[in-house]
Amino acid sequence: MPERLSRVEFIALMAMLFATIAFSIDAMLPALPEIADELTPDAPNRAQLILTSFVFGMGVGTLFTGPISDAFGRRPVILGGALVYIVASIVAWQAQTLELMLAARVVQGLGAAGPRVVSLAIIRDLYEGRRMAQMMSFIMLVFTLAPAVAPALGAGIIAFFDWRMIFGAFVLFSLTSAAWLALRQAETHPPERRRPFRAKTLWAGIVEVMSLRQVVVVILILSLTFGMLFGLLSSIQPIFDQTFGRGHSFHLWFALIAAIAAMGNVLNARIVMAMGMRRVASLAFVAQMALTGSFVIFASLSDWGSAAAFGIFVAWASGVFCMVGLTVGNLNALAMVPLGHIAGMAASVIGAFSTVAALVIAIPVGLAFDGTPLPVAAGVLACSILAWLLIRTLGDPSAEPLETTT
């Protein structure tokens, strides 16, 4: 059994690896108007594809990084992914057309899939069940700091340099996290537990993962949850800018929203051991349905010029992000319960299918932006209703395992 880091250092390292994703998305949000003006002035809504192209690459890469880590170990895959991410960041830094920028972002997403998926496999190597869900809550709490500071960092870089220098920050961030992992985290997947990287073995693993009804249902729920998140992320900067005329202070408001949303992770860490993963996630979806249903009614009738409308929007957006903190870690842990022997493969299949499916929801929701929050609110309402209906089919929450295995 590998020597463990202290709990605090392990949580901080895993959170930083996870934060590669949030940083790569959220730091770009303040740059969308400049990107639209420079690379796609005739169709400014296409600037949102800077976000979803990255997520698409991450989703595709997610399918392969887990199985590769099952065959060759966790550390080499994370470090190799960091190298791909850094090279793609440099290409995006220099891109002069939207098409080249989007291609580089796809490759950047492929590289980021290593830290995203293999970090989850490392956690599953050491924890399972409700204890894994609790660890995920602590990690997601630290991870939430990235959305809080990333837009402000992006805005600061734009103010002192230009939007392209954001990609230089990505390079520095990835170098730092990769060095920390290389120097401090022992390999958690020893050679005797590895599975050969062969097409037949990979296919057998995919079939095993997808043959479990619980896992398939959780993938669908995660798809809806990420669809809500990515749909809101695609629209939130244009809403602040065009709907409320507050684009100049967007990064500050987004930091406030992220700080409020962190409370979802704090709450989940405190209650999941007693209530269970399914019950907590189910209640979160019920709360989201009620909150978003009320917001949709308000959005249909509202005068968006009022300060009250802006305050209600900020409260609603905070609720969506808070819901993510109460669901994603629980759902991932729930799906991984029967799959510890192929944790890398399982993390890949779950992450890839849920991410790519979420884009099917998020891209049209983002492109439907009409100057008001109504399209994204309607999308969130539909997804939360479907997620709640699906989670009710998962059976008795009392059957969940409680403690760790290593």
Side-chain angles (χ1 to χ4, degrees), residues 245-271:
R246 298 175 185 257
H248 61 286
S249 59
F250 163 71
H251 58 286
L252 300 176
W253 287 106
F254 194 83
L256 175 64
I257 290 171
I260 295 172
M263 296 302 101
N265 295 292
V266 174
L267 178 61
N268 190 66
R270 293 180 64 88
I271 66 177

Side-chain angles (χ1 to χ4, degrees), residues 97-132:
T97 66
L98 181 64
E99 290 74 20
L100 180 57
M101 173 68 72
L102 296 180
R105 287 285 282 175
V106 170
V107 178
Q108 195 184 27
L110 288 170
R116 181 208 185 190
V117 176
V118 184
S119 298
L120 182 59
I122 289 174
I123 298 166
R124 179 58 186 86
D125 287 339
L126 302 174
Y127 300 91
E128 75 166 351
R130 295 185 189 179
R131 189 67 68 186
M132 178 181 172

Side-chain angles (χ1 to χ4, degrees), residues 4-44:
R4 294 195 183 192
L5 300 179
S6 70
R7 191 182 195 191
V8 172
E9 184 178 359
F10 180 76
I11 289 171
L13 174 57
M14 293 299 106
M16 187 170 186
L17 292 171
F18 269 84
T20 302
I21 304 300
F23 188 40
S24 301
I25 295 172
D26 298 329
M28 298 300 300
L29 293 174
L32 291 181
E34 287 84 356
I35 293 172
D37 290 343
E38 183 173 337
L39 300 182
T40 179
D42 296 332

Side-chain angles (χ1 to χ4, degrees), residues 82-349:
L83 178 61
V84 172
Y85 177 90
I86 289 168
V87 171
S89 297
I90 294 171
V91 173
W93 193 348
Q94 302 300 318
Q96 299 300 312
T97 66
L98 181 64
E99 290 74 20
L100 180 57
M101 173 68 72
L102 296 180
R105 287 285 282 175
V106 170
V107 178
Q108 195 184 27
L110 288 170
R116 181 208 185 190
V117 176
V118 184
S119 298
L120 182 59
I122 289 174
I123 298 166
R124 179 58 186 86
D125 287 339
L126 302 174
Y127 300 91
E128 75 166 351
R130 295 185 189 179
R131 189 67 68 186
M132 178 181 172
Q134 186 183 52
M135 288 295 295
M136 287 292 296
S137 291
F138 290 129
I139 290 166
M140 293 294 287
L141 173 60
V142 181
F143 161 82
T144 305
L145 294 175
V149 304
L153 178 59
I157 291 171
I158 293 169
F160 286 98
F161 302 98
D162 61 31
W163 65 267
R164 292 181 180 275
M165 190 59 68
I166 295 172
F167 290 101
F170 292 160
V171 171
L172 180 61
F173 184 88
S174 186
L175 283 172
T176 302
S177 60
W180 188 359
L181 177 92
L183 294 173
R184 296 290 296 155
Q185 176 61 54
E187 177 60 59
T188 61
H189 192 59
E192 63 270 17
R193 293 176 54 191
R194 295 177 187 174
R195 298 163 60 95
F197 188 69
R198 302 192 189 105
K200 183 178 180 180
T201 304
L202 297 182
W203 179 249
I206 293 173
V207 170
E208 180 177 354
V209 171
M210 298 303 291
S211 67
L212 299 174
R213 178 184 174 278
Q214 172 174 303
V215 177
V216 173
V217 172
V218 171
I219 288 172
L220 292 174
I221 299 170
L222 279 169
S223 301
L224 294 163
T225 305
F226 285 133
M228 292 184 253
L229 176 63
F230 297 148
L232 179 55
L233 283 173
S234 295
S235 302
I236 194 167
Q237 196 282 335
I239 290 172
F240 269 84
D241 189 13
Q242 299 178 38
T243 307
F244 297 110
R246 298 175 185 257
H248 61 286
S249 59
F250 163 71
H251 58 286
L252 300 176
W253 287 106
F254 194 83
L256 175 64
I257 290 171
I260 295 172
M263 296 302 101
N265 295 292
V266 174
L267 178 61
N268 190 66
R270 293 180 64 88
I271 66 177
V272 69
M273 293 296 290
M275 295 182 62
M277 297 171 281
R278 273 169 277 191
R279 186 171 287 118
V280 172
S282 179
L283 290 173
F285 289 131
V286 169
Q288 190 60 61
M289 284 189 291
L291 180 64
T292 305
S294 301
F295 182 70
V296 167
I297 294 172
F298 177 84
S300 302
L301 304 174
S302 178
D303 171 15
W304 292 113
S306 68
F310 177 70
I312 291 171
F313 170 76
V314 170
W316 172 75
S318 301
V320 175
F321 284 106
C322 190
M323 176 270 301
V324 172
L326 286 163
T327 55
V328 170
N330 292 332
L331 292 168
N332 273 295
L334 186 62
M336 296 285 277
V337 166
L339 298 169
H341 59 295
I342 51 168
M345 168 66 76
S348 281
V349 174

